[in-house]
Amino acid sequence: MDEMNPLEEVRELGSATGAKRPEIHCLAIVGQIEGHSVLPEDTKATKYEHILPLLAAVEESPDIAALLVLLNTAGGDVEAGLAIAELIAGMSKPTASLVLGGGHSIGVPLAVAASRSFIAPSAAMMLHPVRLNGVVIGAPQTYDYFQAVQKRVTDFITAHSHIGEEALTSLMMRAGQLSNDIGTCLSGPESVERGIIDAIGGLGDALGYLHSRI
């Protein structure tokens, strides 16, 4: 990757590397996760084609000792989100995530991908089944495809958190809580109680964890 000055790095990629040694790289995942389709210009988006090589560079850099992921996302493209989550989960360096505001939809796998996940008391997480916008072919194969994608998301979350598949599926398929959808919106404390997130915390807690692991 070409070198950027710190201000450009924050503005273009939503990321920055601290001045302390050893360094902790901070990555912000905000708005919607943009996948293969470009979102409208007035939509705040995190572009996965920026994040993937950035994470690879963080893993390879001898000057960076750990990664902090700050999350405030409404969700977005499932495959792009899973791609980012898999890279975070596969890093050999210590990683921590902090959900601020919201870690909704595909933001849930992104939050649990880190070695240790934190959530602010005022934050929330929305769990719901995989959905698709646009024209859908009404065929049995379409239903099978949705089930397969849903299983990929469910398997990732359960593999990187403390919630079981049955409990997670129950929350995703819950009717009556959301006004125009099925699913569940959990507060910060509830997400910890359910075993999705490791702990309630703030920036100091997440950084403290990373420094303890370095």
Side-chain angles (χ1 to χ4, degrees):
M1 291 180 69
D2 295 334
E3 288 293 324
M4 278 188 180
N5 69 50
L7 289 178
E8 277 185 36
E9 197 176 6
V10 172
R11 183 172 64 249
E12 296 299 325
L13 303 177
S15 67
T17 303
K20 269 189 169 184
R21 300 285 182 182
E23 293 177 339
I24 293 175
H25 190 89
C26 177
L27 172 66
I29 297 179
V30 299
Q32 291 191 48
I33 311 301
E34 185 178 88
H36 303 304
S37 299
V38 178
L39 292 170
E41 288 185 5
D42 60 351
T43 301
K44 181 68 70 176
T46 295
K47 299 177 181 293
Y48 84 109
E49 70 270 23
H50 290 175
I51 305 301
L52 299 185
L54 187 149
L55 288 172
V58 169
E59 174 72 6
E60 279 289 282
S61 173
D63 297 322
I64 298 174
L67 174 71
L68 171 64
V69 182
L70 302 180
L71 284 159
N72 187 8
T73 176
D77 187 280
V78 171
E79 291 194 342
L82 280 178
I84 297 170
E86 286 285 9
L87 275 190
I88 295 172
M91 294 181 73
S92 62
K93 296 179 179 181
T95 57
S97 64
L98 174 57
V99 180
L100 301 159
H104 305 307
S105 191
I106 199 61
V108 179
L110 288 166
V112 304
S115 309
R116 181 79 172 169
S117 58
F118 297 87
I119 188 168
S122 62
M125 306 190 84
M126 187 180 297
L127 299 99
H128 61 74
V130 172
R131 300 168 302 186
L132 181 67
N133 293 327
V135 177
V136 177
I137 299 173
Q141 291 86 346
T142 302
Y143 178 74
D144 293 340
Y145 171 75
F146 272 95
Q147 279 194 315
V149 175
Q150 183 64 58
K151 181 168 174 51
R152 289 161 59 194
V153 174
T154 301
D155 286 351
F156 186 92
I157 295 172
T158 55
H160 295 88
S161 68
H162 305 290
I163 190 171
E165 181 179 350
E166 186 176 342
L168 178 61
T169 301
S170 176
L171 290 173
M172 287 181 167
M173 299 299 181
R174 184 178 174 186
Q177 189 186 72
L178 306 181
S179 60
N180 59 352
D181 199 0
I182 58 173
T184 303
C185 188
L186 299 176
S187 67
E190 287 174 326
S191 67
V192 175
E193 183 183 336
R194 297 279 189 171
I196 297 171
I197 299 297
D198 292 321
I200 292 289
L203 183 59
D205 300 294
L207 289 173
Y209 165 77
L210 291 176
H211 283 296
S212 73
R213 287 286 311 278
I214 294 172

